[in-house]
Amino acid sequence: MEIFVWTAHVLLAVVLIVLVLLQHGKGADMGAAFGSGSAGSLFGASGSANFLSRATSITAAMFFATSMGLTYLSANQTKDVSVMSIMDQIEETEKVSTDLKKQPTTQDDADSPEVQGNSKAGQIPE
């Protein structure tokens, strides 16, 4: 779906650029202001819209719609989950659980030599 919207969006952008470049701009009638022709259309109301201006309006509306569609699709994109990310989560969970098992639960366990890391087996009694 997203590939279809991207394709339509790019095609509409190209068509919109071509339609805008094909149109006859208002500045092209600038010679009319200096006496060569009628100057009524220079700064006045433009007449009825021709085919190019209507096609440009429709293409611009469709371009806007595809822009909004792409925004919606990118906002609601699901997160990619891979096997490696799941394995990393499992390893982290196992590490945390083994760390919790190693922690002493009472004060007597905290004083034991295994928890402190030093063994009394190799020490000379006082």
Side-chain angles (χ1 to χ4, degrees), residues 17-32:
I17 290 170
V18 169
L19 285 174
V20 167
L21 290 176
L22 285 176
Q23 288 186 20
H24 185 71
K26 286 186 177 182
D29 292 332
M30 204 58 177

PDB file of all heavy atoms in Angstrom, residues 17-32:
ATOM      1  N   ILE A  17       4.564  19.699 -11.688  1.00  0.00           N
ATOM      2  CA  ILE A  17       5.646  20.575 -12.161  1.00  0.00           C
ATOM      3  C   ILE A  17       5.464  20.886 -13.641  1.00  0.00           C
ATOM      4  O   ILE A  17       5.581  22.045 -14.070  1.00  0.00           O
ATOM      5  CB  ILE A  17       7.017  19.916 -11.892  1.00  0.00           C
ATOM      6  CG1 ILE A  17       7.304  19.905 -10.399  1.00  0.00           C
ATOM      7  CG2 ILE A  17       8.125  20.640 -12.642  1.00  0.00           C
ATOM      8  CD1 ILE A  17       8.499  19.069 -10.013  1.00  0.00           C
ATOM      9  N   VAL A  18       5.143  19.867 -14.426  1.00  0.00           N
ATOM     10  CA  VAL A  18       4.951  20.080 -15.871  1.00  0.00           C
ATOM     11  C   VAL A  18       3.761  20.994 -16.128  1.00  0.00           C
ATOM     12  O   VAL A  18       3.842  21.918 -16.965  1.00  0.00           O
ATOM     13  CB  VAL A  18       4.783  18.714 -16.592  1.00  0.00           C
ATOM     14  CG1 VAL A  18       4.324  18.896 -18.030  1.00  0.00           C
ATOM     15  CG2 VAL A  18       6.082  17.933 -16.530  1.00  0.00           C
ATOM     16  N   LEU A  19       2.660  20.796 -15.428  1.00  0.00           N
ATOM     17  CA  LEU A  19       1.479  21.643 -15.633  1.00  0.00           C
ATOM     18  C   LEU A  19       1.744  23.093 -15.259  1.00  0.00           C
ATOM     19  O   LEU A  19       1.277  24.019 -15.934  1.00  0.00           O
ATOM     20  CB  LEU A  19       0.294  21.098 -14.824  1.00  0.00           C
ATOM     21  CG  LEU A  19      -0.378  19.853 -15.387  1.00  0.00           C
ATOM     22  CD1 LEU A  19      -1.429  19.329 -14.413  1.00  0.00           C
ATOM     23  CD2 LEU A  19      -1.001  20.139 -16.737  1.00  0.00           C
ATOM     24  N   VAL A  20       2.478  23.318 -14.197  1.00  0.00           N
ATOM     25  CA  VAL A  20       2.785  24.699 -13.798  1.00  0.00           C
ATOM     26  C   VAL A  20       3.693  25.358 -14.831  1.00  0.00           C
ATOM     27  O   VAL A  20       3.523  26.534 -15.180  1.00  0.00           O
ATOM     28  CB  VAL A  20       3.414  24.719 -12.381  1.00  0.00           C
ATOM     29  CG1 VAL A  20       4.015  26.072 -12.072  1.00  0.00           C
ATOM     30  CG2 VAL A  20       2.373  24.350 -11.342  1.00  0.00           C
ATOM     31  N   LEU A  21       4.653  24.599 -15.346  1.00  0.00           N
ATOM     32  CA  LEU A  21       5.568  25.180 -16.345  1.00  0.00           C
ATOM     33  C   LEU A  21       4.889  25.433 -17.687  1.00  0.00           C
ATOM     34  O   LEU A  21       5.314  26.330 -18.435  1.00  0.00           O
ATOM     35  CB  LEU A  21       6.777  24.264 -16.527  1.00  0.00           C
ATOM     36  CG  LEU A  21       7.744  24.203 -15.348  1.00  0.00           C
ATOM     37  CD1 LEU A  21       8.849  23.193 -15.616  1.00  0.00           C
ATOM     38  CD2 LEU A  21       8.330  25.576 -15.059  1.00  0.00           C
ATOM     39  N   LEU A  22       3.846  24.699 -18.014  1.00  0.00           N
ATOM     40  CA  LEU A  22       3.144  24.897 -19.279  1.00  0.00           C
ATOM     41  C   LEU A  22       2.200  26.092 -19.263  1.00  0.00           C
ATOM     42  O   LEU A  22       1.807  26.583 -20.317  1.00  0.00           O
ATOM     43  CB  LEU A  22       2.343  23.645 -19.644  1.00  0.00           C
ATOM     44  CG  LEU A  22       3.131  22.452 -20.153  1.00  0.00           C
ATOM     45  CD1 LEU A  22       2.194  21.266 -20.379  1.00  0.00           C
ATOM     46  CD2 LEU A  22       3.856  22.796 -21.441  1.00  0.00           C
ATOM     47  N   GLN A  23       1.821  26.550 -18.101  1.00  0.00           N
ATOM     48  CA  GLN A  23       0.822  27.616 -18.023  1.00  0.00           C
ATOM     49  C   GLN A  23       1.387  28.957 -18.430  1.00  0.00           C
ATOM     50  O   GLN A  23       2.569  29.246 -18.260  1.00  0.00           O
ATOM     51  CB  GLN A  23       0.245  27.698 -16.611  1.00  0.00           C
ATOM     52  CG  GLN A  23      -0.653  26.537 -16.295  1.00  0.00           C
ATOM     53  CD  GLN A  23      -1.317  26.693 -14.961  1.00  0.00           C
ATOM     54  OE1 GLN A  23      -1.417  27.793 -14.432  1.00  0.00           O
ATOM     55  NE2 GLN A  23      -1.770  25.587 -14.407  1.00  0.00           N
ATOM     56  N   HIS A  24       0.482  29.781 -18.923  1.00  0.00           N
ATOM     57  CA  HIS A  24       0.805  31.141 -19.339  1.00  0.00           C
ATOM     58  C   HIS A  24       0.627  32.042 -18.116  1.00  0.00           C
ATOM     59  O   HIS A  24      -0.483  32.200 -17.598  1.00  0.00           O
ATOM     60  CB  HIS A  24      -0.157  31.541 -20.463  1.00  0.00           C
ATOM     61  CG  HIS A  24       0.132  32.867 -21.062  1.00  0.00           C
ATOM     62  ND1 HIS A  24       1.221  33.095 -21.846  1.00  0.00           N
ATOM     63  CD2 HIS A  24      -0.532  34.046 -20.990  1.00  0.00           C
ATOM     64  CE1 HIS A  24       1.219  34.349 -22.245  1.00  0.00           C
ATOM     65  NE2 HIS A  24       0.154  34.943 -21.737  1.00  0.00           N
ATOM     66  N   GLY A  25       1.699  32.623 -17.610  1.00  0.00           N
ATOM     67  CA  GLY A  25       1.623  33.415 -16.389  1.00  0.00           C
ATOM     68  C   GLY A  25       1.062  34.800 -16.613  1.00  0.00           C
ATOM     69  O   GLY A  25       0.958  35.300 -17.735  1.00  0.00           O
ATOM     70  N   LYS A  26       0.683  35.472 -15.548  1.00  0.00           N
ATOM     71  CA  LYS A  26       0.159  36.845 -15.632  1.00  0.00           C
ATOM     72  C   LYS A  26       1.254  37.820 -16.040  1.00  0.00           C
ATOM     73  O   LYS A  26       0.974  38.839 -16.650  1.00  0.00           O
ATOM     74  CB  LYS A  26      -0.434  37.270 -14.290  1.00  0.00           C
ATOM     75  CG  LYS A  26      -1.754  36.637 -13.977  1.00  0.00           C
ATOM     76  CD  LYS A  26      -2.333  37.235 -12.714  1.00  0.00           C
ATOM     77  CE  LYS A  26      -3.695  36.657 -12.418  1.00  0.00           C
ATOM     78  NZ  LYS A  26      -4.312  37.242 -11.249  1.00  0.00           N
ATOM     79  N   GLY A  27       2.474  37.528 -15.693  1.00  0.00           N
ATOM     80  CA  GLY A  27       3.570  38.427 -16.039  1.00  0.00           C
ATOM     81  C   GLY A  27       3.848  38.473 -17.527  1.00  0.00           C
ATOM     82  O   GLY A  27       4.508  39.377 -18.013  1.00  0.00           O
ATOM     83  N   ALA A  28       3.341  37.511 -18.277  1.00  0.00           N
ATOM     84  CA  ALA A  28       3.556  37.494 -19.722  1.00  0.00           C
ATOM     85  C   ALA A  28       2.776  38.598 -20.416  1.00  0.00           C
ATOM     86  O   ALA A  28       3.102  38.974 -21.537  1.00  0.00           O
ATOM     87  CB  ALA A  28       3.169  36.141 -20.293  1.00  0.00           C
ATOM     88  N   ASP A  29       1.763  39.128 -19.792  1.00  0.00           N
ATOM     89  CA  ASP A  29       0.963  40.215 -20.354  1.00  0.00           C
ATOM     90  C   ASP A  29       1.506  41.578 -19.940  1.00  0.00           C
ATOM     91  O   ASP A  29       0.808  42.580 -20.025  1.00  0.00           O
ATOM     92  CB  ASP A  29      -0.498  40.089 -19.912  1.00  0.00           C
ATOM     93  CG  ASP A  29      -1.174  38.883 -20.506  1.00  0.00           C
ATOM     94  OD1 ASP A  29      -0.748  38.473 -21.603  1.00  0.00           O
ATOM     95  OD2 ASP A  29      -2.104  38.347 -19.873  1.00  0.00           O
ATOM     96  N   MET A  30       2.725  41.635 -19.494  1.00  0.00           N
ATOM     97  CA  MET A  30       3.280  42.896 -19.013  1.00  0.00           C
ATOM     98  C   MET A  30       3.383  43.922 -20.137  1.00  0.00           C
ATOM     99  O   MET A  30       3.304  45.117 -19.889  1.00  0.00           O
ATOM    100  CB  MET A  30       4.665  42.644 -18.394  1.00  0.00           C
ATOM    101  CG  MET A  30       5.067  43.691 -17.398  1.00  0.00           C
ATOM    102  SD  MET A  30       3.833  43.771 -16.103  1.00  0.00           S
ATOM    103  CE  MET A  30       4.597  44.988 -15.086  1.00  0.00           C
ATOM    104  N   GLY A  31       3.545  43.446 -21.370  1.00  0.00           N
ATOM    105  CA  GLY A  31       3.592  44.387 -22.499  1.00  0.00           C
ATOM    106  C   GLY A  31       2.291  45.130 -22.678  1.00  0.00           C
ATOM    107  O   GLY A  31       2.267  46.239 -23.225  1.00  0.00           O
ATOM    108  N   ALA A  32       1.198  44.553 -22.202  1.00  0.00           N
ATOM    109  CA  ALA A  32      -0.097  45.208 -22.322  1.00  0.00           C
ATOM    110  C   ALA A  32      -0.161  46.460 -21.463  1.00  0.00           C
ATOM    111  O   ALA A  32      -0.915  47.386 -21.756  1.00  0.00           O
ATOM    112  CB  ALA A  32      -1.197  44.230 -21.920  1.00  0.00           C
TER     113      ALA A  32
END
